Amino acid sequence: MQRDLEAMSATDYDLVIVGGGITGASTAWDASLRGLKVALLEKDDFAHATTSGSSKLVHGGLRYLVNGELKLVRESLRERRIWENVAPHMVHPLPFVLPTYGWGMKGPIVLGLGLALYDLLAFDRNWLSDDDKKLPGFRRISKGKALDLMPSLKREGLTGAMIYYDCQMFAPERLCLECIEGAVEYGADAANYAEVTGFTSEASIKRGVKVTGVTVMDKLTGKLHTIRGQVVVNAAGPWADKTMALADDTPARRLIRSKGIHIITRDLSGENALAVQSSIGGHFFVIPWRGHTIIGTTDTVFEDDPDELGVTEKDIADFLTVVNDGLPGLNLRREDVIHFYAGIRPLVDTTPEEVPGAETAGESTKEAEKKDSYNASRAAEVYDHAPEEAIDGLISAIGGKWTTSRHLAEQVVDLALKKLGKSANCETQCTPVYGGDMARLKTYVERAQKRHSHLAPDVVENLVNFYGSRIDEVLATADERQGEREVLLKRLSPETTTIGVQVVHAVRHEMALHLDDVVFRRTGLGTLGHPGVPAIKQAAELMRGELGWDETELANEISGTVRLFETIPAK
């Protein structure tokens, strides 16, 4: 996978996609499989924002049942199964403990009925070839068993718990990248650090204008390019409305941006996840992940520029208060937080622009229109700009969630094909992602460990988790230059399973251009917290050898990456 904006500016594309998160990546993968010539452009690094800032879950959305969104739940449950099938190294079953209290809405009867409906909507959940991926139905456990599993639960009114199953991703940023790599394998071109600054257009033979492409600034060189395409897809996530505004000063669709922070701690829950309701902050999850625990997430409206997103000390303190209210037995403190991160959910804003009678009701209009991100729907919208705005050739994919991104992309490509006067069936529901071509994960890991017995078993398992069936291609990078193999097969530090060849492979074959690309999105080196200065310096030195950084560039890359492990000042 190579970055070449000069070549892209000399190519005519069927589809130009703005945004390299999971929506744009899935769209590129789908369109390429259907034979379209695709360009994908991302203003930062692939998967740098919402895609990597998630709770790592692939789930049906149990709580959406409360809102009556059965269609969204069914869609999510179907997509959960598809991700298990096409990305077996990335998506794994996860048991959830859901405590029951009293005999009302939080009691075993009501929750049992909800979970029975959840399982019914997931009637196809075990249409899988790998038996290890199959998900049992829910079951009820006693109060004593619940406390054995989760001693930190609130005891007052506790009547037991339900255990149900969803799935989680090993590394969402890698899964996104694999969709892009799969698209490239089928002929797509992609570029990160390529910011779309405007649209090119011409008068439409029907009415209004016809979008003919985009203008792009190469953030590495500052040079401007024009990328031509018959259809442009806006898949910019939290920036989608800002991208729409490049074509129309008053875009027809608005977003609610919801900020969610997560904290990572030592292992707190063993192999089970825990769904908790706090009386002061809604629900949150306690999720086992790679030997640690993720706790998340918050859900607050974010009205600042998405580029300014970060986690403040106040964010952490406020969230710890919510967590300790929901699970008083944990008594978590700031020093228990090993790492933290934030993401923005782009939600379709369905609130009216004006609220008649708000002033007479004793409320200010501003208060009456206050956004509610927690209860806002996670449903997506595929918006054609031609009918309402007379802008032909532009499609926006707005809202949605990680789990349903593949299906959202399918709908986008269906519409794009219609505009292009072509037809082709979607194949992403049955085609393994780049690295997903294997039968049974457990067997594949065992065979890989035997095949690469010169490496430690935990290193090989980590490589399979990150690269799946492409592990041999990654390891082959160590043989591309004489004398490198021994150095590149070493761990970056004794505490990590990341080895040097992953860094070099990321630069040579995965478009990693900055140190944080490697630390946070090509490998798992920094996703569990600061891996230590020696490991970061070792990764930086390996990248320096590939990219020719001087001493100043090297120091800036290291300091810039280290800052990403720190909180930002509160406003």
Side-chain angles (χ1 to χ4, degrees):
M1 191 165 75
Q2 302 297 327
R3 179 182 186 275
D4 191 341
L5 283 168
E6 291 283 354
M8 291 176 73
S9 65
T11 304
D12 291 321
Y13 294 97
D14 296 310
L15 209 61
V16 175
I17 300 167
V18 182
I22 188 55
T23 300
S26 293
T27 303
W29 181 40
D30 187 328
S32 299
L33 284 177
R34 297 204 221 184
L36 297 183
K37 184 61 178 174
V38 175
L40 176 70
L41 301 163
E42 166 55 51
K43 76 182 189 70
D44 204 286
D45 188 28
F46 305 122
H48 81 283
T50 300
T51 296
S52 58
S54 75
S55 300
K56 325 295 184 191
L57 296 178
V58 176
H59 66 107
L62 178 61
R63 76 178 181 89
Y64 307 150
L65 289 177
V66 178
N67 300 333
E69 295 184 277
L70 269 66
K71 184 178 179 182
L72 177 59
V73 174
R74 171 57 200 149
E75 176 193 16
S76 301
L77 291 168
R78 182 191 68 236
E79 294 301 306
R80 182 186 70 183
R81 171 183 56 81
I82 290 172
W83 281 119
E84 281 190 277
N85 261 329
V86 302
H89 59 306
M90 277 286 173
V91 182
H92 311 290
L94 179 65
F96 278 81
V97 176
L98 181 61
T100 59
Y101 289 91
W103 298 95
M105 291 300 293
K106 298 179 183 178
I109 295 175
V110 173
L111 291 179
L113 289 171
L115 286 168
L117 177 58
Y118 197 62
D119 281 351
L120 181 64
L121 291 170
F123 62 87
D124 56 350
R125 65 183 180 275
N126 291 328
W127 294 1
L128 302 161
S129 57
D130 186 344
D131 287 342
D132 295 336
K133 301 288 184 182
K134 293 182 177 180
L135 307 180
F138 84 95
R139 70 181 191 274
R140 183 182 176 185
I141 60 174
S142 67
K143 175 181 177 179
K145 180 63 174 173
L147 289 171
D148 286 342
L149 291 175
M150 299 288 174
S152 56
L153 287 173
K154 277 186 177 178
R155 299 186 175 225
E156 184 180 354
L158 182 68
T159 54
M162 301 292 184
I163 294 183
Y164 72 98
Y165 285 78
D166 261 316
C167 291
Q168 76 173 161
M169 292 173 278
F170 185 82
E173 59 282 352
R174 284 292 320 180
L175 183 49
C176 175
L177 186 68
E178 288 180 351
C179 291
I180 297 171
E181 289 179 304
V184 170
E185 191 170 48
Y186 279 84
D189 296 317
N192 53 358
Y193 298 101
E195 182 173 4
V196 170
T197 57
F199 293 96
T200 59
S201 61
E202 60 187 26
S204 172
I205 59 173
K206 298 177 182 177
R207 62 187 180 94
V209 298
K210 168 73 169 68
V211 169
T212 58
V214 296
T215 54
V216 183
M217 182 184 72
D218 186 338
K219 294 177 74 172
L220 300 185
T221 65
K223 187 174 180 180
L224 291 175
H225 299 270
T226 298
I227 310 293
R228 299 182 301 276
Q230 294 188 58
V231 176
V232 175
V233 174
N234 168 19
W239 292 267
D241 54 350
K242 293 179 178 292
T243 302
M244 282 187 265
L246 296 175
D248 189 331
D249 291 337
T250 56
R253 292 296 184 272
R254 298 177 298 164
L255 291 180
I256 300 174
R257 294 181 181 85
S258 168
K259 176 179 176 178
I261 77 159
H262 298 78
I263 58 176
I264 295 180
T265 70
R266 67 186 185 280
D267 179 14
L268 298 174
S269 63
E271 64 180 16
N272 298 291
L274 178 63
V276 183
Q277 187 75 28
S278 166
S279 60
I280 62 173
H283 86 284
F284 61 88
F285 294 123
V286 179
I287 305 166
W289 190 61
R290 294 170 52 199
H292 292 66
T293 291
I294 297 174
I295 306 178
T297 173
T298 61
D299 199 331
T300 56
V301 174
F302 186 74
E303 296 181 337
D304 293 334
D305 190 315
D307 288 315
E308 297 178 3
L309 179 70
V311 179
T312 67
E313 287 295 329
K314 185 177 186 303
D315 288 334
I316 296 173
D318 290 348
F319 189 41
L320 286 175
T321 300
V322 171
V323 172
N324 286 326
D325 173 74
L327 290 172
L330 284 182
N331 192 28
L332 285 181
R333 295 173 294 181
R334 177 63 179 87
E335 53 264 37
D336 294 313
V337 178
I338 300 170
H339 188 43
F340 46 81
Y341 60 92
I344 296 179
R345 306 172 192 85
L347 308 174
V348 180
D349 187 356
T350 57
T351 58
E353 293 195 25
E354 293 183 4
V355 182
E359 296 291 350
T360 58
E363 299 178 289
S364 69
T365 301
K366 183 176 181 181
E367 284 299 312
E369 293 184 354
K370 188 175 181 180
K371 305 295 189 294
D372 178 3
S373 59
Y374 182 77
N375 290 307
S377 175
R378 269 51 177 173
E381 179 182 2
V382 178
Y383 179 63
D384 183 351
H385 291 255
E388 291 184 38
E389 298 171 283
I391 303 173
D392 196 17
L394 177 61
I395 300 169
S396 287
I398 316 165
K401 61 198 199 98
W402 226 113
T403 306
T404 55
S405 57
R406 188 215 64 86
H407 187 229
L408 174 59
E410 180 180 343
Q411 297 169 73
V412 170
V413 178
D414 285 345
L415 179 56
L417 283 168
K418 185 178 179 181
K419 286 183 171 293
L420 292 167
K422 300 180 179 182
S423 75
N425 293 326
C426 177
E427 297 183 2
T428 53
Q429 78 280 8
C430 56
T431 304
V433 299
Y434 192 90
D437 189 11
M438 61 180 67
R440 187 180 182 218
L441 176 61
K442 183 178 179 181
T443 302
Y444 191 91
V445 170
E446 291 170 350
R447 289 174 177 170
Q449 287 170 333
K450 290 179 181 177
R451 194 166 67 249
H452 299 288
S453 57
H454 56 290
L455 296 174
D458 62 334
V459 168
V460 176
E461 183 175 7
N462 185 64
L463 288 169
V464 174
N465 282 327
F466 271 97
Y467 306 100
S469 57
R470 304 288 181 151
I471 177 178
D472 293 337
E473 294 176 18
V474 177
L475 290 172
T477 302
D479 298 321
E480 288 178 355
R481 294 181 189 174
Q482 270 194 333
E484 289 186 329
R485 181 177 176 81
E486 186 176 345
V487 172
L488 295 184
L489 295 184
K490 289 182 178 179
R491 301 174 192 255
L492 294 184
S493 75
E495 294 77 27
T496 183
T497 51
T498 303
I499 57 177
V501 71
Q502 294 177 256
V503 179
V504 174
H505 184 83
V507 176
R508 293 182 191 171
H509 305 290
E510 296 181 338
M511 229 176 285
L513 298 169
H514 293 289
L515 180 57
D516 63 293
D517 298 344
V518 166
V519 170
F520 292 105
R521 289 175 293 279
R522 300 301 184 280
T523 74
L525 183 62
T527 52
L528 290 171
H530 199 310
V533 172
I536 287 180
K537 284 186 174 179
Q538 177 69 7
E541 288 290 351
L542 288 169
M543 292 190 74
R544 178 190 195 180
E546 298 295 314
L547 297 171
W549 294 336
D550 59 27
E551 289 294 335
T552 300
E553 290 171 314
L554 178 69
N556 287 340
E557 289 288 339
I558 292 173
S559 62
T561 298
V562 169
R563 277 197 301 272
L564 296 175
F565 292 101
E566 301 169 356
T567 53
I568 64 171
K571 287 191 175 181

